[in-house]
Amino acid sequence: MIPAVIISKKRDGGKLSEAEIRYMVSHYAKGDLPDYQMAALAMAIFIRGMDSQEISQLTDAMIATGNCLRRVSERPRVDKHSTGGLGDKTSLILGPMLACCELDVPMISGRGLGITGGTLDKLEAIPGFRCDLSPSESETQLSKIGCFITGATETLVPADKKLYTLRDVTGTVPSVALITASIMSKKIAETLDALVLDVKWGSGAFLETVPKAQELAKSLCANGKRAGIHTKALLSDMNQPLGRMVGNACEVDESIEVMQGKGPVEVWELTRELSAHVLVGVGKAADMSEARATLQGHLDSGRVFERFEQMVAHQGGDLRAARPRGQSTAIRADRSGWLTRIDGQKLGQSVIAMGGGRTQAGQRIDPSVGLVMHTRLGEPVHPGDTLVEVLCDDRNKVELARELLVESMSIDDQKPQQFALWQEFDPEA
Ligand code: URA
């Protein structure tokens, strides 16, 4: 087969065959197809899209580049995945919490993608934490403590490992086809019984509108069902960051606060809701209210944080070692009114500009930088109030971030429309 012919076919709006998809994906994973050809194909898919059959074939082709994980116990295997947002730290809490419910949570996560943060980058802000567990290390950890969070590897969906990195720096992230294949290849390779998907919509998500998020949720759920996984999706509002912290080390700090029963209530409530759907999905709770009560009990007893400490220790992390935090600079309101708009794209770009995300594949990131959101949408502000605190030691970068942040927020006289933090997604609707 000739890669340029396959790329041109998709560029012109054609439907790719299973053999063509497999050819491109398998050669890319092996290193026989250069980045520039895969980037061209990703851009053609981004522009032209794929139908559901092509998306399933792309997902399967990606899974086939590695091995699937094995069951290590009789416990049901579950996970959640988010489509990407700002301040989205729910995985750090949800993995250990579901492990407290006698479930196995083999979580394969990603790094920062586009303007959104990545669970692996956050966890690596903990000194010593390893996100490159071998299959046998992850199996041992899973049988001992019921959860791990690691990255795609050379043996576990290697195609996603490479393609994810490539999409991050080639403007090819916000595609229903590519997001579905990326997420579902990892989740199917985890050999799951149940999966909950947090499909984000809004200015800080890849897909800005509810209809687009519904299209993605539908594609993800169809793919889960096809693989025999009980799959549920929530659509959650990403018109502002989740919680107060946006960054890497500072999001670990906030997750720990939540696990200790403190921290922003919305972070806890969304995490609990996502986890409750999993409990109901595998029959560990008769209904959502029983599930929420069980989860609340694990949090209140301190068991969730204990399990998190065990997971971190198993993966080489030292929670007692200081996590880096940049110097704080306040960005203040210059008028009174209501905070009516937060442009998530610009907010995310401000973190990248300070080195908290990547502009080139493989770049090292600075875990110390971040933002502390002091005001939420719809809250009143007065001149001199801190809207957001910038965490960064480099004055030049702070100024770059300040420009983006000032542009990203609006204060007006009218209180804005408020959205529910999440809504359920009905795949049949
Ligand atoms: N999360 C993923 O794993 N992949 C995507 O493409 C988007 C979010």
Side-chain angles (χ1 to χ4, degrees):
M1 289 198 193
I2 301 172
V5 172
I6 300 172
I7 297 165
S8 310
K9 186 173 176 190
K10 186 43 80 183
R11 179 201 63 201
D12 297 340
K15 175 171 167 147
L16 300 185
S17 70
E18 185 169 14
E20 287 166 333
I21 293 171
R22 254 180 207 266
Y23 178 87
M24 294 299 278
V25 172
S26 63
H27 282 79
Y28 183 58
K30 276 192 261 168
D32 298 345
L33 187 90
D35 275 349
Y36 56 80
Q37 285 183 317
M38 199 61 188
L41 180 66
M43 186 56 84
I45 294 172
F46 171 83
I47 293 169
R48 292 297 192 167
M50 282 181 141
D51 70 15
S52 58
Q53 192 180 33
E54 286 174 295
I55 296 176
S56 303
Q57 289 166 350
L58 178 61
T59 309
D60 289 345
M62 287 172 60
I63 298 169
T65 60
N67 304 320
C68 292
L69 296 181
R70 288 187 312 199
R71 287 183 186 271
V72 296
S73 76
E74 298 289 299
R75 297 186 288 258
R77 287 168 77 94
V78 302
D79 196 5
K80 86 107 218 205
H81 203 88
S82 154
T83 58
L86 297 169
D88 181 7
K89 48 200 73 82
T90 58
S91 293
L92 275 62
I93 308 160
L94 177 142
M97 178 153 71
L98 288 176
C100 292
C101 304
E102 295 300 311
L103 298 169
D104 279 350
V105 195
M107 201 181 271
I108 306 171
S109 293
R111 300 196 172 276
L113 189 63
I115 55 137
T116 70
T119 300
L120 302 182
D121 294 328
K122 291 171 203 183
L123 284 166
E124 279 180 353
I126 302 171
F129 193 92
R130 284 183 49 217
C131 292
D132 59 351
L133 300 182
S134 68
S136 77
E137 282 173 319
S138 32
E139 281 177 8
T140 308
Q141 183 169 326
L142 198 62
S143 43
K144 277 196 185 155
I145 60 168
C147 60
F148 62 74
I149 304 183
T150 190
T153 65
E154 301 317 322
T155 52
L156 202 64
V157 206
D160 185 58
K161 186 177 163 74
K162 288 187 79 178
L163 187 53
Y164 191 94
T165 310
L166 188 70
R167 286 167 58 219
D168 187 26
V169 291
T170 54
T172 50
V173 172
S175 145
V176 167
L178 295 173
I179 297 176
T180 302
S182 165
I183 292 180
M184 295 312 298
S185 61
K186 290 185 290 249
K187 300 299 117 176
I188 296 171
E190 288 176 4
T191 317
L192 297 179
D193 299 302
L195 170 68
V196 64
L197 296 156
D198 183 5
V199 182
K200 306 280 191 196
W201 69 276
S203 73
F206 296 132
L207 303 173
E208 291 215 4
T209 63
V210 170
K212 263 291 187 196
Q214 280 167 331
E215 186 189 332
L216 177 58
K218 199 168 190 149
S219 168
L220 291 162
C221 289
N223 235 286
K225 195 168 167 192
R226 179 182 72 89
I229 302 171
H230 182 284
T231 310
K232 170 85 196 171
L234 295 186
L235 305 183
S236 73
D237 175 23
M238 195 25 78
N239 286 297
Q240 61 185 331
L242 181 68
R244 277 160 55 91
M245 303 292 185
V246 185
N248 292 292
C250 64
E251 287 197 39
V252 173
D253 296 344
E254 188 167 70
S255 308
I256 291 174
E257 277 182 30
V258 172
M259 285 184 266
Q260 293 177 333
K262 301 171 275 182
V265 69
E266 63 275 13
V267 177
W268 167 239
E269 286 180 353
L270 180 58
T271 312
R272 187 184 55 189
E273 195 69 9
L274 290 162
S275 310
H277 280 291
V278 172
L279 287 194
V280 173
V282 293
K284 285 263 174 193
D287 56 31
M288 287 295 284
S289 60
E290 185 188 319
R292 289 186 198 107
T294 303
L295 297 164
Q296 192 69 49
H298 287 305
L299 183 86
D300 295 344
S301 67
R303 284 191 289 273
V304 177
F305 183 53
E306 235 171 67
R307 195 64 67 110
F308 177 74
E309 288 181 304
Q310 288 169 5
M311 180 184 81
V312 170
H314 262 270
Q315 296 191 225
D318 182 358
L319 279 179
R320 281 163 313 183
R323 286 180 288 284
R325 181 173 285 213
Q327 234 177 297
S328 157
T329 307
I331 312 274
R332 298 182 191 280
D334 57 1
R335 55 162 291 185
S336 60
W338 307 92
L339 185 64
T340 54
R341 180 188 68 100
I342 298 178
D343 178 337
Q345 297 296 315
K346 290 219 164 79
L347 202 98
Q349 283 162 19
S350 75
V351 178
I352 295 174
M354 293 188 287
R358 298 180 181 80
T359 51
Q360 283 178 16
Q363 222 168 28
R364 278 180 77 83
I365 59 162
D366 179 353
S368 72
V369 306
L371 306 173
V372 188
M373 308 303 296
H374 280 247
T375 313
R376 290 190 68 74
L377 282 179
E379 286 181 353
V381 291
H382 302 99
D385 284 356
T386 301
L387 295 174
V388 48
E389 234 179 290
V390 176
L391 305 175
C392 181
D393 291 334
D394 180 329
R395 301 316 302 161
N396 295 328
K397 289 183 180 167
V398 171
E399 286 318 307
L400 282 178
R402 180 197 295 279
E403 262 176 48
L404 286 159
L405 288 165
V406 167
E407 280 172 26
S408 76
M409 296 187 169
S410 307
I411 300 172
D412 288 307
D413 296 330
Q414 299 286 319
K415 204 172 169 174
Q417 186 190 358
Q418 309 258 209
F419 299 104
L421 181 53
W422 68 79
Q423 46 185 293
E424 288 201 22
F425 169 69
D426 176 6
E428 310 307 331

